[in-house]
Amino acid sequence: QLLQSAWLNDIRKIQKNQAILGQKNDLMQFMFGSPRESLKHYQKILEPLQSGRCFYCGKGIRTNGVVDHFIPWSRYPVDLAHTFVFAHSACNNAKSEHLASESHLEHWLERNEAHGDTIASLCDKKGLPHDCTTSLRIAKWAYSQANQTSFHVWVKGKQTIPLGKRWETLFYSI
């Protein structure tokens, strides 16, 4: 704990980190994660916004719908509403710890642009954490890291492809 505390103090002192971290998030959670909690409350918000359809494949969800971390938990272990999507369990499991393809990223950005305020309002009513701006910063950071390492992104099923260059322009359009 002593080392974690010292490290957190050093990280806070670096001015460039504020653009990624934002002001509302707990740096301890960001650096060292937080316990995974049930996301059922978010499902009640996301399912109607997506008309009961899977975010990834677009097909209706009759059973086994889950809330997925669009930016995988392994990359950003903090629960923020704007980073979640409603998906088939099978799509969620297939995506696993991958970043989603640029077409999914575009869809996610459009969803947050169109429904970000609604998600925030519904989360406020239920006392659920959300921060669209930080979620966008984290996504941009995650895709930037993936770009630097020639990372493959998930398309569907077991299909992955190399991350292209279009992801950068998608962030500039918001």
Side-chain angles (χ1 to χ4, degrees), residues 80-96:
L80 291 175
H82 294 90
T83 63
F84 297 139
V85 297
F86 183 58
H88 282 115
S89 180
C91 289
N92 178 43
N93 290 336
K95 178 180 164 273
S96 186

Side-chain angles (χ1 to χ4, degrees), residues 108-109 112 132-141 171 174:
W108 180 76
L109 291 167
N112 281 336
C132 193
T133 302
T134 298
S135 297
L136 294 172
R137 288 177 181 153
I138 293 302
K140 186 175 181 180
W141 168 82
F171 283 102
I174 55 171

Side-chain angles (χ1 to χ4, degrees), residues 17-26 131 133-134 137-138:
N17 288 341
Q18 292 307 311
I20 295 171
L21 300 174
Q23 299 298 318
K24 296 182 181 179
N25 291 323
D26 181 29
D131 186 332
T133 302
T134 298
R137 288 177 181 153
I138 293 302

